[in-house]
Amino acid sequence: MNVRLRFAPSPTGVLHVGGVRTAIYNYLYARRMGGKFLLRIEDTDPERSKEEWIKVITEGLSWLGIKWDDEIVFQSKRISVYHKYAQKLLKEGKAYYCVCTEEELEEEKKIQRLQKKHLKYSRKCLNRSKEEIEELVKKEGRKKAIRFLVPEGQTEFKDIIHGKIKFKNEEIEDFIILRSDGSPTYNLACVIDDHEMGITHVIRGDDHIPNTPKQILLYRAFGWKEPEFAHLPMILGPDRKKLSKRHGATGVLEFKEQGFLPEALFNFLVLLGWSPKDNREIISKEEMIKIFDIRDCRKSASIFDRQKLLWMNSEYIKMKDINELLKASLPFLRMEKWWKEEFERDLEYLKKTIELTRERAKVLKDIPYLIEYFYKEDFGYDIEAIERYFADSRVFEGLEEIKSEFENVDEWSQTNIEKVIRNVADKMDVKHAFLIHPLRLAMTGRKVGPSLFALMELLGKERCIERIRRVIRELWGYVPGKTDIKKD
Ligand code: GLU
């Protein structure tokens, strides 16, 4: 079968993670089946639909590498089509005009509430004669909406994820398909478009389950074949409440700003509701396209675990092609006050600093901090480390010795650097760590970081010697807790 799927967001706000996961599942299934993945913008509400939100959607999808096929379908450009089909239903007696005012409808509901009845339109206008309706239009200036006449019986469908779902039609009111201002409602526009776009599978959030019987009734009224439906369970916060801003769950582009890699977010979101048979967690998009099946999706809600996302992102940072990682890191570096344009002249050096430190990055935003000391000479020293590693004055003797030995090193390599340091420690009869820790502080100002020898090689001989000089100058005679020293 030639499958056709679509993602149909309403451009009324940021593209949040729930929406993106829906897009991803549609995309993956379409690719898996060798079908099409289409994008439809449901912008029929002129009050709430905004151009900027459309941009957020297309940018968000593009950033995640979710490519749609064909032209984007905009519902706002298809209003006449919806009118044509609404008229068709009207002519066939499957829909009827309604001129009830807000007040009338409110009054009805009030009575139903008092009688503890199911709230449902009374079909007042179905029982009004044509003349009566026209008179209300003429005399009172009322506007005509069109309601769908829900037939008797029951409507059921087999949801791919949830199985059989049944609705009694008597519980469904004659819903409006065309508002009195001429705008179509979601259910009408959605059915017409899904039909005209040849959609074979509708994958969407399970908040739409109550809409599905209405849509099925419309398909049947038009005499069209309905697509298969798969309703995805919700994504919840760690407190099992609906995911919201409170949880730091934000629009997809905010993840970009926070330094997440698109492939990591993609991978993470796919696993919120689906997992491969072998329960692996790091899976490339290409592989997912080979194995993803909407039929294997879980019925229960998934929890959005930010820690796991951070872990996954760090894994992707470790794996990423270094040239690409460099490119992705640049915007974050450029945001730093200390970053200078001239640093970008030596991209090879920059690449090496990233290569050396990427293991410690959870998000791209960590990278500037991680490589800062490769560019700055006037960094501060970690106070705790000073107190820990410089309390014994023999450290300074060791550093002096290392410094002079370094002067004689011709080939500045990790191995030679290491040799010097270990020899000096052995000569002094101290543990190697006795000198390695203070050296790390001298080189980076920090307690932890990548391999000391590797980072010293990269810094180069002159800078290493100068940094040893500086640490001796600044810390010599320092009594922990008494002397004022430079801090970050
Ligand atoms: N515009 C609807 C939404 O954003 C589309 C639902 C559907 O996929 O049918 O929820």
Side-chain angles (χ1 to χ4, degrees), residues 290-303:
K290 285 191 200 129
I291 57 177
F292 179 82
D293 195 335
I294 191 70
R295 273 155 246 276
D296 297 335
C297 285
R298 285 191 289 280
K299 264 194 207 137
S300 54
S302 302
I303 309 282

Side-chain angles (χ1 to χ4, degrees), residues 6-12 16 22 26 40-43 75 186 190 194 202-205 207-208 211 215 229 231:
R6 53 44 168 201
F7 176 50
S10 309
T12 53
H16 52 79
T22 301
N26 277 289
R40 181 170 78 226
I41 302 291
E42 304 211 322
D43 55 351
Q75 287 194 325
Y186 156 68
C190 179
D194 281 342
V202 169
I203 303 175
R204 61 186 170 204
D207 49 329
H208 282 290
N211 283 319
Q215 297 187 3
F229 293 95
H231 288 94

Side-chain angles (χ1 to χ4, degrees), residues 414-438:
Q414 284 191 52
T415 333
N416 289 344
I417 296 166
E418 182 171 3
K419 231 187 258 161
V420 169
I421 298 169
R422 296 204 189 276
N423 279 343
V424 172
D426 288 344
K427 256 199 276 172
M428 292 175 69
D429 198 21
V430 292
K431 284 194 180 133
H432 297 169
F434 183 78
L435 294 177
I436 287 180
H437 289 310

Side-chain angles (χ1 to χ4, degrees), residues 155-167 200-202 209 212-213 216 220 226-231 294-295 299:
T155 305
E156 62 175 57
F157 64 98
K158 200 162 170 279
D159 187 274
I160 293 175
I161 296 171
H162 297 271
K164 203 185 265 181
I165 299 183
K166 226 190 266 181
F167 285 86
T200 56
H201 296 76
V202 169
I209 288 182
T212 306
I216 290 176
R220 292 182 186 158
E226 59 215 47
E228 283 197 66
F229 293 95
H231 288 94
I294 191 70
R295 273 155 246 276
K299 264 194 207 137

Side-chain angles (χ1 to χ4, degrees), residues 397-409 420 424 461 465 468:
E397 284 165 41
L399 291 182
E400 283 285 0
E401 181 64 20
I402 289 173
K403 184 169 61 93
S404 24
E405 293 282 327
F406 276 169
E407 310 270 8
N408 303 325
V409 173
V420 169
V424 172
K461 180 164 147 178
I465 292 177
I468 296 179

